Amino acid sequence: YVDRMIVGEAHDLIAENYNHWLHAQVQKRMIRTLNDSDTPTIRAYLSDRYRQLDNWDLLQAILPTVEEKELVIRSCELTETKLYLKATWPELRMDVKVGDTVEAGVVISNSEIGDGSVQVKPLIYRLVCTNGMISQASIRKYHIGRRLSNGTESIEHLLSDETKDADDKAFWLKVRDVVSASLDERFFNEQVQQLQLAAGMPIKKNVEEVVEVTRKWYGLSEQTKSHMLENIIRSGEYTKYGLANCISATANTTKDYELATTLETISGKIIEMPTPEWTSLAA
């Protein structure tokens, strides 16, 4: 209905609808704005429970680790809804097989407008084709605030700014620690062992069928499927590892950063897929 009013340029009607419901449902809300132009913009209409975990504070928390370890920033993007930073550590590398070297890394993301939580996830970066796989091991903090209650009434108004700041500081310290832990050598070795095992798990069904089922499982488009199929046939690597790589390689061909990150996450899910699930898909 809103789309129809926008297309029809019924702006007065849009305003009338919004004003009616805003006044009919009086609630305390957080309004996040952007004031970098002549026309201030409302970015988000959020609950009073929303906890501000901002991109600036996130970067302040992690940049000391980035500088200390001399991480390489592989990409950084600020989309309409999220901040992404992907970095790797050249000091920590290992071969999955001869000539196929991977590097330890980390993916950090956040949304200031409620479209996801602060997340820190390990990244495996394949040097031969510069594509990544995002592990599912992570720290996650939803943007739901410090609203404490006895079941009937919030005590948010009783908390001092000092208490709130201390709570935030503790959380950012956890984020910093998880970034460092994601680059732990023992943890990285375990991840590479998973890749090596995946490289020895063949696809026994028709490859095109396996790619099609994967597309359906993860809700991917036909165009993405075509790129995946082309990549796996070109590589000639018909294994669990090859399927994961054909997905992450497809991420390199899209200009949509959100989609590319989703594909890298799916690639990591393929590697970490339990054996019964993998058998159902490909064996």
Side-chain angles (χ1 to χ4, degrees):
Y1 178 55
V2 172
D3 287 342
R4 183 177 178 184
M5 289 189 289
I6 292 172
V7 171
E9 296 187 352
H11 299 151
D12 290 343
L13 189 56
I14 294 173
E16 184 179 345
N17 272 268
Y18 274 105
N19 282 320
H20 171 83
W21 292 114
L22 286 171
H23 286 285
Q25 300 174 333
V26 178
Q27 296 174 316
K28 183 181 287 188
R29 290 279 181 169
M30 176 184 286
I31 308 296
R32 303 224 69 181
T33 62
L34 186 65
N35 297 319
D36 66 346
S37 65
D38 294 334
T39 306
T41 302
I42 293 177
R43 302 173 66 201
Y45 177 70
L46 302 162
S47 164
D48 64 331
R49 297 176 62 206
Y50 185 84
R51 179 179 184 177
Q52 292 174 246
L53 296 172
D54 290 343
N55 296 335
W56 174 262
D57 297 318
L58 171 62
L59 292 174
Q60 290 296 308
I62 65 173
L63 285 177
T65 300
V66 171
E67 293 176 352
E68 178 188 350
K69 290 185 174 291
E70 298 183 347
L71 303 185
V72 176
I73 306 298
R74 296 295 180 178
S75 70
C76 186
E77 187 76 14
L78 189 63
T79 70
E80 285 292 322
T81 57
K82 290 184 180 180
L83 167 76
Y84 292 96
L85 188 145
K86 300 173 184 176
T88 63
W89 193 26
E91 294 294 318
L92 198 52
R93 292 179 175 179
M94 187 176 292
D95 286 348
V96 177
K97 52 189 178 180
V98 177
D100 190 351
T101 304
V102 293
E103 193 167 282
V106 64
V107 180
I108 302 150
S109 63
N110 182 45
S111 175
E112 294 183 329
I113 61 171
D115 189 30
S117 57
V118 176
Q119 291 192 353
V120 179
K121 292 187 175 184
L123 172 72
I124 295 292
Y125 191 74
R126 194 174 182 221
L127 298 179
V128 68
C129 53
T130 63
N131 57 281
M133 302 176 189
I134 299 175
S135 171
Q136 301 313 294
S138 67
I139 179 174
R140 176 178 296 181
K141 184 71 174 183
Y142 290 103
H143 288 274
I144 299 297
R146 315 169 187 83
R147 190 177 185 181
L148 306 175
S149 71
N150 59 9
T152 57
E153 185 178 355
S154 168
I155 63 167
E156 172 71 10
H157 63 285
L158 301 178
L159 302 181
S160 68
D161 288 341
E162 183 182 7
T163 299
K164 297 173 185 176
D165 290 342
D167 192 16
D168 284 343
K169 183 177 180 181
F171 174 67
W172 293 125
L173 288 172
K174 292 177 186 176
V175 171
R176 184 198 65 187
D177 290 346
V178 172
V179 171
S180 295
S182 297
L183 301 169
D184 176 73
E185 184 173 0
R186 185 172 65 177
F187 179 68
F188 177 64
N189 289 342
E190 291 173 357
Q191 290 183 301
V192 174
Q193 287 173 10
Q194 276 193 312
L195 298 179
Q196 292 169 338
L197 287 171
M201 299 174 71
I203 294 174
K204 296 182 179 179
K205 295 179 181 177
N206 178 276
V207 172
E208 186 170 0
E209 178 188 345
V210 171
V211 171
E212 170 62 15
V213 173
T214 302
R215 181 194 73 80
K216 289 181 178 179
W217 277 11
Y218 295 105
L220 302 174
S221 68
E222 287 288 346
Q223 183 180 16
T224 299
K225 170 199 164 182
S226 296
H227 287 302
M228 289 165 53
L229 189 58
E230 181 181 343
N231 288 333
I232 197 168
I233 290 174
R234 184 187 294 119
S235 72
E237 191 165 14
Y238 302 137
T239 63
K240 188 180 187 182
Y241 182 58
L243 180 63
N245 281 323
C246 86
I247 297 170
S248 58
T250 301
N252 284 342
T253 64
T254 178
K255 295 180 180 179
D256 184 334
Y257 199 91
E258 297 273 8
L259 175 58
T261 302
T262 296
L263 292 173
E264 290 173 339
T265 301
I266 292 171
S267 178
K269 288 180 178 179
I270 295 292
I271 293 297
E272 296 169 7
M273 183 181 288
T275 300
E277 196 174 336
W278 169 250
T279 300
S280 173
L281 173 65

